[in-house]
Amino acid sequence: MSNRLRPFLFRLVIPVIVIAYGLFTLGILVLREWVGEALTPLGMGYSRLDWFLFPSLILFPLLLPWRPRLALLVAPLVAAWSIHYLPLLLPKSIASLSAGQDVTVMTYNMHVERVILDPMLAVLRAADADIVALQELSIEAGAAIEADLAMRYPYRAIHTLEWAYHGRGLLSKYPILEDRAWPDVQPITMRLQRSVLDVDGQRVVVYNFHSAPQIPIFGQPPDIGPRNQQHAELLTMMRAEIDPVLMLCDCNITDQNIAYRDLTADFDDAFRQAGQGLGLTNPDTVYPQAQEGLWLPLYQRIDFIFYSRFAFTAIESRVWPDSGGSDHRPVWARLRLHAGDS
Protein backbone atom coordinates (compact mmCIF):
# COMPACT_ATOMS: atom_id res chain seq x y z
CA MET A 1 0.00 0.00 0.00
CA SER A 2 1.47 3.36 -1.01
CA ASN A 3 2.24 6.05 1.54
CA ARG A 4 -0.37 8.31 -0.08
CA LEU A 5 -3.11 5.69 -0.13
CA ARG A 6 -2.76 4.63 3.51
CA PRO A 7 -3.75 8.00 5.09
CA PHE A 8 -6.66 8.34 2.67
CA LEU A 9 -7.88 4.84 3.53
CA PHE A 10 -7.66 5.23 7.29
CA ARG A 11 -8.84 8.83 7.52
CA LEU A 12 -11.75 8.75 5.12
CA VAL A 13 -12.72 5.44 3.49
CA ILE A 14 -12.84 3.19 6.57
CA PRO A 15 -14.66 5.78 8.75
CA VAL A 16 -17.24 6.32 5.98
CA ILE A 17 -17.83 2.57 5.70
CA VAL A 18 -18.17 2.21 9.48
CA ILE A 19 -20.56 5.17 9.71
CA ALA A 20 -22.68 3.81 6.84
CA TYR A 21 -22.78 0.36 8.44
CA GLY A 22 -23.61 1.71 11.90
CA LEU A 23 -26.37 4.03 10.73
CA PHE A 24 -27.87 1.40 8.42
CA THR A 25 -28.03 -1.27 11.13
CA LEU A 26 -29.28 1.16 13.78
CA GLY A 27 -31.93 2.20 11.26
CA ILE A 28 -33.12 -1.39 10.94
CA LEU A 29 -33.39 -1.68 14.72
CA VAL A 30 -35.39 1.55 14.91
CA LEU A 31 -37.67 0.57 12.01
CA ARG A 32 -38.40 -2.77 13.65
CA GLU A 33 -39.69 -0.94 16.75
CA TRP A 34 -41.60 1.82 14.96
CA VAL A 35 -42.76 0.26 11.70
CA GLY A 36 -42.77 -3.48 12.34
CA GLU A 37 -43.03 -5.71 9.29
CA ALA A 38 -45.36 -3.60 7.21
CA LEU A 39 -43.15 -4.10 4.15
CA THR A 40 -41.63 -7.31 2.80
CA PRO A 41 -38.08 -5.92 2.56
CA LEU A 42 -38.22 -5.01 6.25
CA GLY A 43 -39.35 -8.47 7.32
CA MET A 44 -36.66 -10.08 5.20
CA GLY A 45 -34.09 -7.72 6.68
CA TYR A 46 -35.14 -8.54 10.24
CA SER A 47 -34.65 -12.24 9.44
CA ARG A 48 -30.98 -11.48 8.83
CA LEU A 49 -30.51 -8.97 11.62
CA ASP A 50 -28.04 -11.26 13.38
CA TRP A 51 -25.80 -10.94 10.31
CA PHE A 52 -26.00 -7.16 10.44
CA LEU A 53 -25.18 -7.08 14.15
CA PHE A 54 -22.29 -9.53 14.13
CA PRO A 55 -19.63 -7.27 12.46
CA SER A 56 -19.99 -4.85 15.37
CA LEU A 57 -18.36 -7.45 17.64
CA ILE A 58 -15.22 -7.22 15.51
CA LEU A 59 -15.35 -3.50 14.80
CA PHE A 60 -15.86 -2.30 18.36
CA PRO A 61 -12.55 -3.54 19.89
CA LEU A 62 -10.65 -2.49 16.75
CA LEU A 63 -12.10 1.01 16.74
CA LEU A 64 -12.01 1.72 20.46
CA PRO A 65 -8.29 2.61 20.73
CA TRP A 66 -8.14 4.20 17.26
CA ARG A 67 -11.43 6.04 16.74
CA PRO A 68 -13.40 6.07 20.01
CA ARG A 69 -16.25 8.08 18.52
CA LEU A 70 -16.75 5.49 15.79
CA ALA A 71 -16.64 2.80 18.46
CA LEU A 72 -19.48 4.56 20.27
CA LEU A 73 -21.55 4.40 17.06
CA VAL A 74 -21.32 0.60 16.92
CA ALA A 75 -21.57 0.09 20.70
CA PRO A 76 -25.42 -0.11 20.61
CA LEU A 77 -25.11 -2.86 18.01
CA VAL A 78 -22.75 -4.81 20.27
CA ALA A 79 -25.25 -4.36 23.09
CA ALA A 80 -28.16 -5.54 20.91
CA TRP A 81 -26.27 -8.67 19.83
CA SER A 82 -25.12 -9.40 23.38
CA ILE A 83 -28.57 -8.99 24.92
CA HIS A 84 -30.15 -11.34 22.44
CA TYR A 85 -27.48 -13.94 21.69
CA LEU A 86 -25.05 -14.05 24.61
CA PRO A 87 -27.56 -15.90 26.84
CA LEU A 88 -27.74 -18.64 24.19
CA LEU A 89 -24.00 -19.23 24.49
CA LEU A 90 -23.95 -19.48 28.28
CA PRO A 91 -24.70 -22.67 30.26
CA LYS A 92 -28.26 -22.88 31.52
CA SER A 93 -29.24 -23.52 35.11
CA ILE A 94 -32.71 -24.94 35.59
CA ALA A 95 -34.54 -23.84 38.71
CA SER A 96 -35.99 -26.44 41.04
CA LEU A 97 -38.81 -28.26 39.30
CA SER A 98 -42.26 -28.95 40.64
CA ALA A 99 -43.73 -32.43 40.45
CA GLY A 100 -44.95 -33.52 37.07
CA GLN A 101 -44.44 -35.65 33.99
CA ASP A 102 -41.34 -35.37 31.78
CA VAL A 103 -42.20 -35.35 28.08
CA THR A 104 -39.72 -35.38 25.20
CA VAL A 105 -40.75 -33.69 21.97
CA MET A 106 -39.21 -33.17 18.55
CA THR A 107 -39.98 -31.21 15.39
CA TYR A 108 -38.58 -32.49 12.08
CA ASN A 109 -38.92 -31.17 8.53
CA MET A 110 -38.30 -34.21 6.29
CA HIS A 111 -37.56 -32.31 3.06
CA VAL A 112 -40.19 -34.19 0.99
CA GLU A 113 -37.81 -37.17 0.83
CA ARG A 114 -39.37 -40.09 -1.05
CA VAL A 115 -36.49 -42.52 -1.68
CA ILE A 116 -33.62 -42.42 0.85
CA LEU A 117 -35.65 -42.88 4.01
CA ASP A 118 -33.55 -45.18 6.21
CA PRO A 119 -31.34 -42.36 7.60
CA MET A 120 -34.46 -40.41 8.58
CA LEU A 121 -35.99 -43.42 10.27
CA ALA A 122 -32.69 -43.86 12.11
CA VAL A 123 -32.90 -40.26 13.37
CA LEU A 124 -36.42 -40.88 14.67
CA ARG A 125 -35.32 -44.05 16.44
CA ALA A 126 -32.24 -42.43 17.98
CA ALA A 127 -34.15 -39.40 19.24
CA ASP A 128 -36.95 -41.60 20.60
CA ALA A 129 -39.06 -38.55 21.48
CA ASP A 130 -42.46 -39.11 23.03
CA ILE A 131 -44.10 -36.68 20.60
CA VAL A 132 -42.82 -35.93 17.09
CA ALA A 133 -44.19 -33.36 14.67
CA LEU A 134 -43.25 -33.93 11.01
CA GLN A 135 -43.37 -31.42 8.18
CA GLU A 136 -42.87 -31.94 4.42
CA LEU A 137 -43.91 -35.54 4.90
CA SER A 138 -44.14 -37.50 1.65
CA ILE A 139 -46.54 -40.38 1.02
CA GLU A 140 -43.54 -42.72 0.87
CA ALA A 141 -42.11 -41.44 4.17
CA GLY A 142 -45.50 -41.77 5.82
CA ALA A 143 -45.77 -45.38 4.64
CA ALA A 144 -42.25 -46.18 5.89
CA ILE A 145 -43.08 -44.75 9.29
CA GLU A 146 -46.29 -46.76 9.47
CA ALA A 147 -44.36 -49.92 8.58
CA ASP A 148 -41.26 -49.46 10.73
CA LEU A 149 -42.22 -47.31 13.71
CA ALA A 150 -45.74 -48.44 14.56
CA MET A 151 -44.60 -50.36 17.62
CA ARG A 152 -42.58 -47.40 18.89
CA TYR A 153 -45.39 -44.93 18.17
CA PRO A 154 -48.73 -46.66 18.63
CA TYR A 155 -50.61 -43.39 18.09
CA ARG A 156 -50.15 -41.64 14.75
CA ALA A 157 -51.95 -38.95 12.80
CA ILE A 158 -50.48 -38.91 9.29
CA HIS A 159 -51.68 -36.47 6.65
CA THR A 160 -49.76 -37.00 3.41
CA LEU A 161 -50.42 -35.50 0.01
CA GLU A 162 -48.93 -36.00 -3.43
CA TRP A 163 -47.64 -32.43 -3.11
CA ALA A 164 -45.42 -33.45 -0.23
CA TYR A 165 -44.46 -29.90 0.80
CA HIS A 166 -47.90 -29.85 2.45
CA GLY A 167 -47.63 -33.28 4.08
CA ARG A 168 -47.53 -33.38 7.87
CA GLY A 169 -47.90 -35.86 10.66
CA LEU A 170 -47.77 -36.47 14.39
CA LEU A 171 -46.21 -39.48 16.10
CA SER A 172 -47.06 -40.06 19.75
CA LYS A 173 -46.55 -42.49 22.58
CA TYR A 174 -49.65 -40.97 24.17
CA PRO A 175 -53.23 -41.46 22.95
CA ILE A 176 -54.45 -38.96 20.36
CA LEU A 177 -57.90 -37.78 21.41
CA GLU A 178 -58.51 -35.29 18.61
CA ASP A 179 -56.82 -34.46 15.31
CA ARG A 180 -57.45 -31.96 12.55
CA ALA A 181 -55.35 -31.04 9.52
CA TRP A 182 -56.10 -27.80 7.74
CA PRO A 183 -57.07 -28.26 4.07
CA ASP A 184 -54.53 -27.89 1.29
CA VAL A 185 -55.20 -24.61 -0.53
CA GLN A 186 -52.52 -23.69 -3.04
CA PRO A 187 -50.48 -21.65 -3.68
CA ILE A 188 -50.34 -20.40 -0.05
CA THR A 189 -51.80 -23.02 2.21
CA MET A 190 -52.23 -23.09 5.97
CA ARG A 191 -49.97 -26.06 6.69
CA LEU A 192 -51.27 -26.73 10.17
CA GLN A 193 -52.25 -29.71 12.26
CA ARG A 194 -53.90 -29.57 15.67
CA SER A 195 -54.01 -32.61 17.92
CA VAL A 196 -55.07 -33.20 21.49
CA LEU A 197 -53.14 -35.84 23.44
CA ASP A 198 -53.85 -37.63 26.68
CA VAL A 199 -50.55 -37.33 28.57
CA ASP A 200 -51.10 -39.58 31.57
CA GLY A 201 -54.60 -38.23 32.10
CA GLN A 202 -53.83 -34.62 31.19
CA ARG A 203 -54.97 -33.05 27.94
CA VAL A 204 -52.21 -31.38 25.94
CA VAL A 205 -52.85 -29.51 22.69
CA VAL A 206 -50.15 -29.96 20.03
CA TYR A 207 -49.90 -27.68 17.02
CA ASN A 208 -47.74 -28.90 14.15
CA PHE A 209 -47.08 -25.86 11.95
CA HIS A 210 -45.17 -25.21 8.75
CA SER A 211 -45.67 -21.58 7.86
CA ALA A 212 -45.50 -20.02 4.43
CA PRO A 213 -41.93 -19.04 3.43
CA GLN A 214 -41.03 -15.40 2.88
CA ILE A 215 -39.69 -16.35 -0.54
CA PRO A 216 -42.47 -18.57 -1.95
CA ILE A 217 -41.57 -21.76 -3.80
CA PHE A 218 -44.44 -21.40 -6.26
CA GLY A 219 -42.96 -18.70 -8.49
CA GLN A 220 -44.37 -15.63 -6.72
CA PRO A 221 -42.20 -12.67 -5.73
CA PRO A 222 -41.03 -12.42 -2.09
CA ASP A 223 -43.96 -11.70 0.21
CA ILE A 224 -44.03 -11.97 4.01
CA GLY A 225 -47.74 -11.19 4.19
CA PRO A 226 -49.04 -14.79 4.07
CA ARG A 227 -46.44 -15.93 6.59
CA ASN A 228 -47.28 -13.19 9.06
CA GLN A 229 -51.02 -13.69 8.60
CA GLN A 230 -50.69 -17.40 9.32
CA HIS A 231 -48.60 -16.74 12.43
CA ALA A 232 -51.18 -14.25 13.68
CA GLU A 233 -54.05 -16.68 13.10
CA LEU A 234 -52.21 -19.49 14.83
CA LEU A 235 -51.29 -17.32 17.80
CA THR A 236 -54.95 -16.41 18.23
CA MET A 237 -55.83 -20.13 18.34
CA MET A 238 -53.06 -20.90 20.81
CA ARG A 239 -54.09 -18.10 23.14
CA ALA A 240 -57.68 -19.38 23.14
CA GLU A 241 -56.73 -22.87 24.36
CA ILE A 242 -57.53 -23.75 27.96
CA ASP A 243 -55.23 -26.80 28.02
CA PRO A 244 -51.41 -26.73 27.93
CA VAL A 245 -50.09 -26.02 24.44
CA LEU A 246 -47.10 -27.25 22.47
CA MET A 247 -46.29 -25.69 19.11
CA LEU A 248 -43.72 -27.58 17.04
CA CYS A 249 -42.77 -25.96 13.80
CA ASP A 250 -40.72 -25.11 10.82
CA CYS A 251 -41.83 -21.53 11.38
CA ASN A 252 -39.86 -19.90 8.53
CA ILE A 253 -38.97 -17.02 10.86
CA THR A 254 -35.89 -16.27 12.91
CA ASP A 255 -35.79 -15.00 16.47
CA GLN A 256 -35.51 -11.42 15.15
CA ASN A 257 -38.87 -11.38 13.38
CA ILE A 258 -41.94 -9.71 14.86
CA ALA A 259 -43.83 -13.02 14.77
CA TYR A 260 -41.24 -14.55 17.12
CA ARG A 261 -41.62 -11.64 19.52
CA ASP A 262 -45.40 -12.06 19.48
CA LEU A 263 -45.14 -15.78 20.14
CA THR A 264 -42.72 -15.42 23.03
CA ALA A 265 -44.94 -12.85 24.71
CA ASP A 266 -47.09 -15.79 25.83
CA PHE A 267 -45.13 -18.95 25.02
CA ASP A 268 -41.55 -19.95 25.75
CA ASP A 269 -38.96 -21.13 23.23
CA ALA A 270 -37.51 -24.42 24.51
CA PHE A 271 -34.08 -23.94 23.00
CA ARG A 272 -33.72 -20.40 24.31
CA GLN A 273 -34.72 -21.56 27.76
CA ALA A 274 -32.72 -24.79 27.97
CA GLY A 275 -30.40 -25.06 24.98
CA GLN A 276 -26.85 -23.84 24.46
CA GLY A 277 -25.32 -22.41 21.29
CA LEU A 278 -26.88 -20.59 18.38
CA GLY A 279 -29.21 -23.50 17.62
CA LEU A 280 -28.87 -23.28 13.84
CA THR A 281 -31.16 -25.71 12.03
CA ASN A 282 -31.07 -24.82 8.33
CA PRO A 283 -29.78 -25.44 5.70
CA ASP A 284 -28.03 -28.74 6.40
CA THR A 285 -26.42 -29.89 3.14
CA VAL A 286 -24.31 -32.77 4.48
CA TYR A 287 -26.35 -35.35 2.58
CA PRO A 288 -26.37 -35.10 -1.24
CA GLN A 289 -30.17 -35.43 -1.37
CA ALA A 290 -30.49 -32.31 0.81
CA GLN A 291 -28.44 -30.10 -1.48
CA GLU A 292 -30.36 -27.60 -3.59
CA GLY A 293 -27.87 -25.95 -5.91
CA LEU A 294 -25.35 -23.67 -4.19
CA TRP A 295 -23.79 -25.13 -1.03
CA LEU A 296 -24.53 -23.10 2.06
CA PRO A 297 -23.51 -23.60 5.69
CA LEU A 298 -25.98 -23.74 8.55
CA TYR A 299 -26.89 -20.10 9.09
CA GLN A 300 -30.40 -19.77 10.51
CA ARG A 301 -32.65 -21.01 13.30
CA ILE A 302 -36.13 -21.43 11.87
CA ASP A 303 -37.31 -24.64 13.59
CA PHE A 304 -38.75 -24.22 17.08
CA ILE A 305 -40.49 -25.84 20.02
CA PHE A 306 -42.79 -23.42 21.84
CA TYR A 307 -44.80 -24.27 24.94
CA SER A 308 -47.21 -22.76 27.47
CA ARG A 309 -45.01 -21.29 30.16
CA PHE A 310 -47.67 -21.77 32.83
CA ALA A 311 -47.78 -25.54 32.17
CA PHE A 312 -44.26 -26.59 31.14
CA THR A 313 -40.63 -26.01 32.07
CA ALA A 314 -37.87 -26.78 29.58
CA ILE A 315 -35.24 -29.03 31.17
CA GLU A 316 -33.00 -29.51 28.15
CA SER A 317 -33.10 -28.80 24.44
CA ARG A 318 -30.78 -29.30 21.51
CA VAL A 319 -30.54 -29.34 17.76
CA TRP A 320 -30.18 -32.94 16.68
CA PRO A 321 -26.69 -33.42 15.13
CA ASP A 322 -27.90 -35.56 12.22
CA SER A 323 -30.49 -34.35 9.71
CA GLY A 324 -30.99 -37.82 8.22
CA GLY A 325 -30.87 -36.31 4.73
CA SER A 326 -33.16 -33.35 5.30
CA ASP A 327 -32.05 -29.77 4.83
CA HIS A 328 -33.39 -29.12 8.35
CA ARG A 329 -31.92 -30.49 11.55
CA PRO A 330 -34.57 -31.60 14.04
CA VAL A 331 -35.02 -29.80 17.33
CA TRP A 332 -35.48 -31.94 20.45
CA ALA A 333 -36.47 -30.95 23.97
CA ARG A 334 -37.29 -32.48 27.34
CA LEU A 335 -40.11 -30.62 29.09
CA ARG A 336 -41.63 -31.00 32.54
CA LEU A 337 -45.42 -30.95 32.37
CA HIS A 338 -46.43 -29.68 35.78
CA ALA A 339 -48.92 -31.72 37.72
CA GLY A 340 -52.37 -30.24 38.13
CA ASP A 341 -52.23 -27.72 35.26
CA SER A 342 -55.24 -27.66 33.01
Coordinates of all heavy atoms in Angstrom, one line a residue, residues 289-335:
Q289 N -28.8 -35.6 -1.0 CA -30.2 -35.4 -1.4 C -30.7 -34.2 -0.8 O -31.8 -33.7 -1.1 CB -31.0 -36.6 -0.9 CG -31.0 -36.9 0.6 CD -29.9 -37.9 1.0 OE1 -28.9 -37.9 0.4 NE2 -30.2 -38.7 2.0
A290 N -30.0 -33.5 0.2 CA -30.5 -32.3 0.8 C -30.0 -31.1 0.1 O -30.4 -30.0 0.4 CB -30.1 -32.3 2.3
Q291 N -29.1 -31.2 -0.8 CA -28.4 -30.1 -1.5 C -29.3 -29.6 -2.6 O -29.9 -30.3 -3.4 CB -27.1 -30.5 -2.0 CG -26.1 -30.9 -1.0 CD -24.8 -31.5 -1.5 OE1 -24.6 -31.5 -2.7 NE2 -24.0 -32.1 -0.6
E292 N -29.5 -28.3 -2.6 CA -30.4 -27.6 -3.6 C -29.5 -26.5 -4.3 O -29.7 -25.3 -4.0 CB -31.6 -27.0 -2.9 CG -32.5 -28.1 -2.3 CD -33.7 -27.5 -1.6 OE1 -33.8 -26.2 -1.5 OE2 -34.6 -28.3 -1.1
G293 N -28.7 -26.9 -5.2 CA -27.9 -25.9 -5.9 C -26.7 -25.5 -5.1 O -25.9 -26.4 -4.6
L294 N -26.5 -24.2 -4.9 CA -25.4 -23.7 -4.2 C -25.2 -24.2 -2.8 O -26.2 -24.2 -2.0 CB -25.5 -22.1 -4.2 CG -24.3 -21.4 -3.5 CD1 -23.0 -21.5 -4.3 CD2 -24.7 -19.9 -3.4
W295 N -24.0 -24.7 -2.4 CA -23.8 -25.1 -1.0 C -23.8 -23.9 -0.1 O -23.2 -22.9 -0.3 CB -22.5 -25.8 -0.9 CG -22.2 -26.3 0.5 CD1 -22.5 -27.5 1.0 CD2 -21.5 -25.6 1.5 NE1 -22.1 -27.5 2.4 CE2 -21.4 -26.4 2.7 CE3 -20.9 -24.3 1.5 CZ2 -20.8 -26.0 3.8 CZ3 -20.3 -23.9 2.7 CH2 -20.2 -24.7 3.8
L296 N -24.5 -24.1 1.0 CA -24.5 -23.1 2.1 C -24.3 -23.8 3.4 O -24.7 -24.9 3.6 CB -25.9 -22.4 2.1 CG -26.2 -21.5 0.9 CD1 -27.7 -21.1 0.9 CD2 -25.3 -20.3 0.8
P297 N -23.7 -23.1 4.3 CA -23.5 -23.6 5.7 C -24.8 -23.4 6.5 O -25.7 -22.6 6.1 CB -22.4 -22.7 6.3 CG -22.5 -21.4 5.6 CD -23.0 -21.7 4.2
L298 N -24.9 -24.1 7.6 CA -26.0 -23.7 8.5 C -25.9 -22.3 8.9 O -24.8 -21.8 9.4 CB -25.9 -24.6 9.8 CG -26.3 -26.1 9.7 CD1 -25.8 -26.8 11.0 CD2 -27.8 -26.2 9.6
Y299 N -27.0 -21.5 8.8 CA -26.9 -20.1 9.1 C -28.1 -19.5 9.7 O -28.2 -18.4 10.1 CB -26.6 -19.3 7.8 CG -27.6 -19.2 6.8 CD1 -28.7 -18.3 6.9 CD2 -27.6 -20.0 5.7 CE1 -29.7 -18.2 5.9 CE2 -28.6 -20.0 4.7 CZ -29.6 -19.0 4.8 OH -30.6 -19.0 3.9
Q300 N -29.2 -20.4 9.9 CA -30.4 -19.8 10.5 C -31.1 -20.8 11.4 O -31.0 -22.0 11.2 CB -31.3 -19.3 9.4 CG -31.8 -20.3 8.4 CD -32.6 -19.7 7.3 OE1 -33.0 -18.5 7.3 NE2 -33.0 -20.5 6.4
R301 N -31.8 -20.2 12.4 CA -32.6 -21.0 13.3 C -34.1 -20.7 13.0 O -34.6 -19.7 13.3 CB -32.3 -20.6 14.8 CG -33.1 -21.5 15.8 CD -32.5 -21.4 17.2 NE -32.9 -20.2 17.9 CZ -33.8 -20.2 18.8 NH1 -34.4 -21.3 19.2 NH2 -34.1 -19.1 19.5
I302 N -34.7 -21.6 12.3 CA -36.1 -21.4 11.9 C -37.1 -22.6 12.3 O -38.3 -22.5 12.1 CB -36.2 -21.3 10.3 CG1 -35.7 -22.5 9.6 CG2 -35.5 -20.0 9.9 CD1 -35.9 -22.4 8.1
D303 N -36.5 -23.5 13.1 CA -37.3 -24.6 13.6 C -37.4 -24.5 15.1 O -36.3 -24.3 15.8 CB -36.7 -26.0 13.2 CG -36.6 -26.1 11.7 OD1 -35.6 -25.7 11.1 OD2 -37.5 -26.7 11.1
F304 N -38.6 -24.6 15.7 CA -38.8 -24.2 17.1 C -39.7 -25.2 17.8 O -40.6 -25.8 17.2 CB -39.4 -22.8 17.2 CG -38.5 -21.7 16.6 CD1 -38.7 -21.3 15.3 CD2 -37.6 -21.0 17.4 CE1 -37.9 -20.3 14.8 CE2 -36.8 -20.0 16.9 CZ -37.0 -19.6 15.5
I305 N -39.5 -25.2 19.1 CA -40.5 -25.8 20.0 C -40.9 -24.8 21.0 O -40.1 -24.2 21.8 CB -39.8 -27.0 20.8 CG1 -39.5 -28.1 19.8 CG2 -40.8 -27.5 21.9 CD1 -38.6 -29.2 20.4
F306 N -42.2 -24.4 20.9 CA -42.8 -23.4 21.8 C -43.7 -24.2 22.8 O -44.3 -25.2 22.4 CB -43.6 -22.3 21.1 CG -42.7 -21.4 20.2 CD1 -42.7 -21.6 18.8 CD2 -42.0 -20.4 20.8 CE1 -41.9 -20.8 18.0 CE2 -41.2 -19.6 20.0 CZ -41.2 -19.8 18.6
Y307 N -43.9 -23.6 24.0 CA -44.8 -24.3 24.9 C -45.4 -23.2 25.9 O -44.9 -22.1 26.1 CB -44.0 -25.3 25.8 CG -42.8 -24.8 26.5 CD1 -43.0 -24.2 27.8 CD2 -41.6 -24.8 25.9 CE1 -41.9 -23.7 28.5 CE2 -40.5 -24.3 26.6 CZ -40.7 -23.7 27.9 OH -39.6 -23.2 28.6
S308 N -46.5 -23.6 26.5 CA -47.2 -22.8 27.5 C -46.3 -22.6 28.7 O -46.0 -23.6 29.4 CB -48.6 -23.4 27.9 OG -49.4 -23.5 26.8
R309 N -45.9 -21.4 29.0 CA -45.0 -21.3 30.2 C -45.7 -21.6 31.5 O -45.0 -21.9 32.5 CB -44.4 -19.9 30.1 CG -45.3 -18.7 30.3 CD -44.5 -17.5 30.5 NE -43.5 -17.2 29.4 CZ -43.7 -16.3 28.4 NH1 -44.8 -15.6 28.4 NH2 -42.9 -16.2 27.5
F310 N -47.0 -21.5 31.6 CA -47.7 -21.8 32.8 C -47.7 -23.3 33.1 O -47.9 -23.7 34.2 CB -49.1 -21.2 32.8 CG -50.1 -21.9 32.0 CD1 -50.7 -23.1 32.4 CD2 -50.3 -21.5 30.7 CE1 -51.6 -23.8 31.6 CE2 -51.2 -22.2 29.9 CZ -51.9 -23.3 30.3
A311 N -47.6 -24.1 32.0 CA -47.8 -25.5 32.2 C -46.5 -26.4 32.1 O -46.4 -27.5 32.6 CB -48.8 -26.0 31.1
F312 N -45.5 -25.8 31.4 CA -44.3 -26.6 31.1 C -43.0 -25.8 31.6 O -43.1 -24.6 31.7 CB -44.1 -26.8 29.6 CG -45.1 -27.8 29.0 CD1 -46.2 -27.2 28.3 CD2 -44.9 -29.1 29.0 CE1 -47.1 -28.1 27.7 CE2 -45.8 -30.0 28.4 CZ -46.9 -29.4 27.7
T313 N -42.0 -26.6 31.9 CA -40.6 -26.0 32.1 C -39.7 -26.8 31.2 O -39.7 -28.0 31.2 CB -40.2 -26.1 33.5 OG1 -41.0 -25.3 34.4 CG2 -38.7 -25.6 33.7
A314 N -38.9 -26.1 30.4 CA -37.9 -26.8 29.6 C -36.7 -27.2 30.4 O -36.1 -26.4 31.1 CB -37.4 -25.9 28.5
I315 N -36.4 -28.5 30.4 CA -35.2 -29.0 31.2 C -34.0 -29.1 30.3 O -32.9 -28.7 30.8 CB -35.6 -30.4 31.7 CG1 -36.8 -30.4 32.6 CG2 -34.4 -31.1 32.4 CD1 -37.4 -31.7 33.0
E316 N -34.1 -29.5 29.1 CA -33.0 -29.5 28.1 C -33.5 -29.4 26.7 O -34.7 -29.8 26.5 CB -32.1 -30.8 28.3 CG -32.9 -32.1 28.1 CD -32.0 -33.3 28.3 OE1 -30.8 -33.3 27.7 OE2 -32.3 -34.3 28.9
S317 N -32.7 -28.9 25.8 CA -33.1 -28.8 24.4 C -31.8 -28.8 23.6 O -30.8 -28.2 24.0 CB -34.0 -27.5 24.2 OG -34.4 -27.5 22.8
R318 N -31.9 -29.3 22.4 CA -30.8 -29.3 21.5 C -31.2 -29.5 20.1 O -32.3 -30.1 19.8 CB -29.8 -30.4 21.9 CG -30.2 -31.8 21.9 CD -29.1 -32.7 22.3 NE -29.5 -34.1 22.3 CZ -30.0 -34.8 23.3 NH1 -30.2 -34.1 24.5 NH2 -30.3 -36.1 23.3
V319 N -30.4 -29.0 19.2 CA -30.5 -29.3 17.8 C -29.9 -30.7 17.5 O -28.8 -30.9 17.9 CB -29.9 -28.2 16.9 CG1 -30.0 -28.6 15.4 CG2 -30.5 -26.9 17.1
W320 N -30.7 -31.6 16.9 CA -30.2 -32.9 16.7 C -29.0 -32.9 15.7 O -29.1 -32.2 14.7 CB -31.3 -33.8 16.1 CG -31.0 -35.3 16.4 CD1 -30.6 -36.3 15.6 CD2 -31.2 -35.9 17.7 NE1 -30.5 -37.4 16.2 CE2 -30.8 -37.3 17.6 CE3 -31.5 -35.4 19.0 CZ2 -30.8 -38.2 18.6 CZ3 -31.5 -36.3 20.0 CH2 -31.2 -37.7 19.9
P321 N -27.9 -33.6 16.0 CA -26.7 -33.4 15.1 C -26.8 -34.0 13.8 O -25.9 -33.8 12.9 CB -25.6 -34.1 16.0 CG -26.3 -35.1 16.8 CD -27.6 -34.4 17.1
D322 N -27.8 -34.9 13.5 CA -27.9 -35.6 12.2 C -29.3 -35.2 11.6 O -30.3 -35.4 12.2 CB -27.8 -37.1 12.4 CG -27.8 -37.9 11.2 OD1 -27.9 -37.3 10.1 OD2 -27.8 -39.1 11.2
S323 N -29.2 -34.7 10.4 CA -30.5 -34.4 9.7 C -31.1 -35.5 9.0 O -32.3 -35.4 8.6 CB -30.2 -33.3 8.7 OG -29.6 -33.8 7.5
G324 N -30.4 -36.7 8.9 CA -31.0 -37.8 8.2 C -31.2 -37.6 6.7 O -31.9 -38.5 6.1
G325 N -30.7 -36.6 6.2 CA -30.9 -36.3 4.7 C -31.8 -35.2 4.4 O -32.0 -34.8 3.3
S326 N -32.4 -34.6 5.5 CA -33.2 -33.4 5.3 C -32.3 -32.1 5.2 O -31.1 -32.2 5.6 CB -34.1 -33.2 6.4 OG -34.8 -32.0 6.4
D327 N -32.8 -31.0 4.7 CA -32.1 -29.8 4.8 C -32.3 -29.0 6.1 O -31.8 -28.0 6.4 CB -32.4 -28.9 3.6 CG -33.8 -28.5 3.6 OD1 -34.7 -29.2 4.2 OD2 -34.1 -27.4 2.9
H328 N -33.1 -29.6 7.0 CA -33.4 -29.1 8.3 C -32.9 -30.1 9.4 O -33.1 -31.3 9.2 CB -34.9 -28.9 8.6 CG -35.5 -27.8 7.8 ND1 -36.0 -26.7 8.4 CD2 -35.8 -27.7 6.5 CE1 -36.5 -25.9 7.5 NE2 -36.4 -26.5 6.4
R329 N -32.2 -29.6 10.4 CA -31.9 -30.5 11.5 C -33.1 -30.5 12.5 O -33.6 -29.4 12.8 CB -30.6 -30.0 12.2 CG -29.4 -30.3 11.4 CD -28.1 -30.0 12.2 NE -26.9 -30.3 11.4 CZ -25.7 -30.1 11.8 NH1 -25.5 -29.8 13.1 NH2 -24.7 -30.4 11.0
P330 N -33.5 -31.6 13.1 CA -34.6 -31.6 14.0 C -34.2 -30.9 15.3 O -33.0 -30.7 15.6 CB -34.8 -33.1 14.3 CG -34.1 -33.8 13.2 CD -33.0 -32.9 12.7
V331 N -35.2 -30.4 16.0 CA -35.0 -29.8 17.3 C -35.7 -30.7 18.4 O -36.9 -31.1 18.1 CB -35.6 -28.4 17.4 CG1 -35.4 -27.8 18.8 CG2 -35.0 -27.5 16.3
W332 N -35.0 -31.0 19.4 CA -35.5 -31.9 20.4 C -35.5 -31.2 21.8 O -34.6 -30.4 22.1 CB -34.5 -33.1 20.5 CG -34.8 -34.2 21.5 CD1 -35.5 -35.4 21.3 CD2 -34.4 -34.2 22.9 NE1 -35.6 -36.1 22.4 CE2 -34.9 -35.5 23.4 CE3 -33.7 -33.4 23.7 CZ2 -34.6 -35.8 24.8 CZ3 -33.4 -33.7 25.0 CH2 -33.9 -34.9 25.5
A333 N -36.4 -31.6 22.6 CA -36.5 -31.0 24.0 C -37.1 -31.9 25.0 O -38.0 -32.7 24.6 CB -37.3 -29.7 24.0
R334 N -36.7 -31.8 26.2 CA -37.3 -32.5 27.3 C -38.0 -31.4 28.2 O -37.4 -30.5 28.6 CB -36.3 -33.2 28.2 CG -36.9 -34.0 29.4 CD -35.8 -34.7 30.2 NE -35.0 -35.5 29.4 CZ -35.3 -36.8 29.1 NH1 -36.4 -37.3 29.5 NH2 -34.4 -37.5 28.4
L335 N -39.3 -31.6 28.4 CA -40.1 -30.6 29.1 C -40.7 -31.3 30.3 O -41.1 -32.5 30.3 CB -41.2 -30.1 28.2 CG -40.8 -29.5 26.8 CD1 -42.0 -29.1 26.0 CD2 -39.9 -28.3 27.0

